[in-house]
Amino acid sequence: GFRESRAKNDPNTLIAKVWLPRSLPTSLAAASQVLDSLDPSLQAKKPLSQEQVALREWCLGEDGRAQAESTVLLHVSHSNLKKTFFQEIRLDMHMKIERVKHKLEFHTGTSASSAQLYLLDEVGNAIAECEDQKMLGFYSPYDGCRLHIVDLDPNSASAGGWLEDVSLVKKYEISEEAYNQRENTYRNFKAKKLAEDPTWSLKADMESRAGKGAVQQAFPGHAAGKVDDEEHQGEKAASIKVGDRCEVAGGRRGEVMFVGKVGELPLGWWVGVKYDEPVGKNDGSVKGVRYFESGEGYGGFVRPDLVEVGDFPEDDPFADLADEM
């Protein structure tokens, strides 16, 4: 019958509830010890004995999943799927073969009406041909046996290796003449670039787009290249002071926490911003030197020309709800 184990310091806390079959080759006392050992307060004090470990493994199975006496662990093979072998499908022996077919349909694609099941032993010898109205347990399967599916549909999607052999799938092909007649192709793009610059390469072009070139395209007013002027953007920085609310290019709002020069960054003036949301790159420090306090990902340093100060309150995600009430 069912055996319950409750925490010793709180009788109302249920630790485990296990069904102990009469055929279990161990004593009830040993089972009680296993259940008592599940109490977290005792695990560190009393390790499981060999008998307790055996009982736990019997209840959970080799893969650690709960198993019942009425279930069986079977492999599955398919007549059309030569490269596919399904492993460890646990089925209830009270299931009718027809229901088993429907369950396997989701794994193989073979409809229940077109499938014929055969039960094989662990070495592939046939045990029985399964009939739809009989239960799986009628054929006395055991862990390690195999269900072999024979697909009787000649027009099945799995017939002829269509689900496994990609070489059977017709690929789209285009002739050289037809391709050359197209205008917006990579071949024409490459020829045009090489005509403009014989040293052009796609790799160098992509690196340029991902680097300083991309910054210049996104923010035209932002200087690109090396900065040699220590007072770079000093005039713009003079109009920004600590404590100002601001909006950084890209719609990121926050509060100005620092205005000045940062020795760990290129020459010129910088603005340290504490963002309202974690859209920054640091916590107010650069290479270990702290300039202001913020949470990780809430801080950032940008050039003054990317900062606009003014009335930029924190966004209220529930502001629209007030109008609806």
Side-chain angles (χ1 to χ4, degrees):
F2 283 105
R3 172 70 164 88
E4 294 183 354
S5 177
R6 299 181 181 271
K8 292 188 175 181
N9 57 353
D10 183 7
N12 294 324
T13 301
L14 181 64
I15 301 298
K17 187 175 182 180
V18 177
W19 172 262
L20 298 177
R22 296 180 179 178
S23 58
L24 186 63
T26 184
S27 65
L28 186 59
S32 298
Q33 292 177 6
V34 174
L35 295 173
D36 291 339
S37 67
L38 295 176
D39 189 336
S41 64
L42 300 178
Q43 284 184 352
K45 301 179 182 179
K46 184 174 62 176
L48 297 179
S49 66
Q50 184 176 359
E51 188 177 22
Q52 292 170 339
V53 171
L55 177 58
R56 183 180 63 182
E57 292 179 351
W58 186 92
C59 293
L60 296 181
E62 296 180 357
D63 57 1
R65 294 179 294 182
Q67 63 177 4
E69 284 187 311
S70 62
T71 64
V72 62
L73 194 63
L74 302 177
H75 303 306
V76 180
S77 58
H78 194 282
S79 60
N80 292 339
L81 305 178
K82 304 301 182 183
K83 300 178 182 178
T84 304
F85 193 78
F86 304 93
Q87 305 219 12
E88 296 187 348
I89 294 182
R90 185 169 293 280
L91 300 172
D92 193 310
M93 289 191 287
H94 294 101
M95 295 172 62
K96 287 188 176 182
I97 296 300
E98 184 179 17
R99 185 182 171 194
V100 173
K101 289 181 179 181
H102 283 288
K103 186 177 182 67
L104 295 176
E105 182 176 349
F106 293 99
H107 295 273
T108 65
T110 299
S111 64
S113 59
S114 302
Q116 175 60 57
L117 295 188
Y118 294 88
L119 181 65
L120 311 179
D121 62 15
E122 61 271 16
V123 295
N125 297 322
I127 296 178
E129 177 179 347
C130 303
E131 300 179 12
D132 287 356
Q133 298 307 313
K134 285 187 167 55
M135 293 185 179
L136 179 62
F138 175 82
Y139 302 101
S140 302
Y142 52 89
D143 290 356
C145 286
R146 174 157 55 102
L147 280 176
H148 181 66
I149 304 172
V150 175
D151 194 331
L152 304 177
D153 183 5
N155 299 317
S156 173
S158 63
W162 281 98
L163 296 182
E164 294 181 318
D165 189 357
V166 296
S167 65
L168 298 176
V169 181
K170 185 178 180 180
K171 282 76 173 177
Y172 175 77
E173 297 179 357
I174 185 173
S175 65
E176 286 290 324
E177 294 77 9
Y179 184 78
N180 290 331
Q181 291 177 0
R182 298 188 174 189
E183 296 181 0
N184 298 324
T185 63
Y186 173 74
R187 183 179 296 176
N188 290 339
F189 169 78
K190 181 179 179 181
K192 182 180 179 180
K193 287 292 185 181
L194 290 175
E196 298 173 354
D197 180 10
T199 63
W200 178 89
S201 68
L202 179 61
K203 180 179 179 181
D205 186 62
M206 295 298 293
E207 291 177 350
S208 176
R209 290 172 182 268
K212 297 178 180 179
V215 176
Q216 181 65 18
Q217 292 177 12
F219 310 112
H222 186 57
K226 186 177 181 180
V227 176
D228 298 322
D229 182 10
E230 293 185 358
E231 298 301 320
H232 178 64
Q233 295 199 17
E235 294 183 2
K236 178 66 175 175
S239 63
I240 304 174
K241 64 180 182 297
V242 174
D244 285 343
R245 288 290 302 175
C246 66
E247 184 173 85
V248 181
R252 297 171 293 173
R253 292 187 177 186
E255 179 182 350
V256 177
M257 303 293 290
F258 170 84
V259 181
K261 298 175 182 179
V262 180
E264 295 73 27
L265 295 177
L267 296 176
W269 287 73
W270 294 87
V271 178
V273 179
K274 179 181 178 181
Y275 295 107
D276 298 335
E277 299 178 351
V279 292
K281 294 185 177 180
N282 53 55
D283 61 351
S285 63
V286 181
K287 297 181 180 179
V289 179
R290 181 163 299 283
Y291 290 87
F292 62 91
E293 296 287 342
S294 77
E296 183 63 39
Y298 283 84
F301 292 86
V302 294
R303 288 295 192 183
D305 62 344
L306 298 180
V307 180
E308 180 182 358
V309 297
D311 184 17
F312 296 106
E314 294 188 32
D315 291 330
D316 183 2
F318 302 104
D320 295 338
L321 296 180
D323 298 334
E324 298 176 2
M325 296 179 63

